[in-house]
Amino acid sequence: MAHHHDHTHDHGHGHSHSHGVHSHISSTAMYVTIFFLLMICTILTYFVSTIDLGFMNFAVAIGIAIFKASLVILYFMHVKWSPALTKLAVAVAVVFLAILLLLTAADYGSRSWIGPQPGWEKHPVLKN
C-alpha cells in the first residue's frame, strides 16, 4: 500500500517550501506489456543469431539489447516518470559507460600494433 506525503514547511522567511513525494502508479497491464515486449525481443535476438549477417550480427544484437535495457530502465525502474535530475543521472551514467566501452575496445583493438610484449615472468624484479 503506497502512502503519499506532502509536507509544507515555513522557515520564517515569509515563503514556504513544498517537499512533496511524487509517485506514479503503473498498471499491471503496462508491466505485462513490457514483459511480453522483452520476451519477444529475446526470441528475436535468438532468431537473428541463427542468420549469418556477417559483422552486422553483433550490431543487431547490441541494438536489441540496448532497446531491452531502455525498457527496463524507463518502465521497471520508473525513470520515465522521474524528475529531470534522475534522468540526467541516468544519461550521465550511460555516457560514462559508453566511454568505458570505447576505451576498452580501443585498447583491445590496438594491442597488435606493437606486437607481443614480455610478460611479468621476464620482469627484472623477479630475477634472483
Side-chain angles (χ1 to χ4, degrees):
M1 185 159 70
H3 296 284
H4 178 75
H5 301 284
D6 190 9
H7 303 285
T8 304
H9 301 286
D10 186 357
H11 297 288
H13 310 258
H15 63 278
S16 61
H17 300 283
S18 177
H19 301 283
V21 176
H22 304 284
S23 61
H24 174 80
I25 306 297
S26 300
S27 71
T28 305
M30 187 222 36
Y31 284 119
V32 170
T33 302
I34 298 300
F35 173 76
F36 279 113
L37 272 172
L38 291 169
M39 292 300 104
I40 289 167
C41 287
T42 301
I43 293 166
L44 181 64
T45 303
Y46 169 74
F47 282 117
V48 167
S49 73
T50 63
I51 302 168
D52 184 18
L53 300 174
F55 71 94
M56 288 301 292
N57 273 95
F58 179 76
V60 171
I62 289 296
I64 295 170
I66 289 171
F67 177 72
K68 288 170 60 179
S70 299
L71 288 177
V72 170
I73 291 167
L74 289 172
Y75 293 96
F76 290 142
M77 295 174 68
H78 299 269
V79 171
K80 180 175 178 154
W81 302 283
S82 294
L85 193 57
T86 302
K87 292 176 182 174
L88 177 64
V90 170
V92 168
V94 168
V95 166
F96 276 95
L97 176 63
I99 291 169
L100 172 75
L101 294 174
L102 286 172
L103 289 175
T104 301
D107 173 53
Y108 184 74
S110 64
R111 287 184 180 192
S112 64
W113 294 358
I114 57 172
Q117 298 294 306
W120 60 269
E121 68 277 357
K122 304 219 187 238
H123 198 277
V125 172
L126 298 175
K127 294 193 177 184
N128 292 337

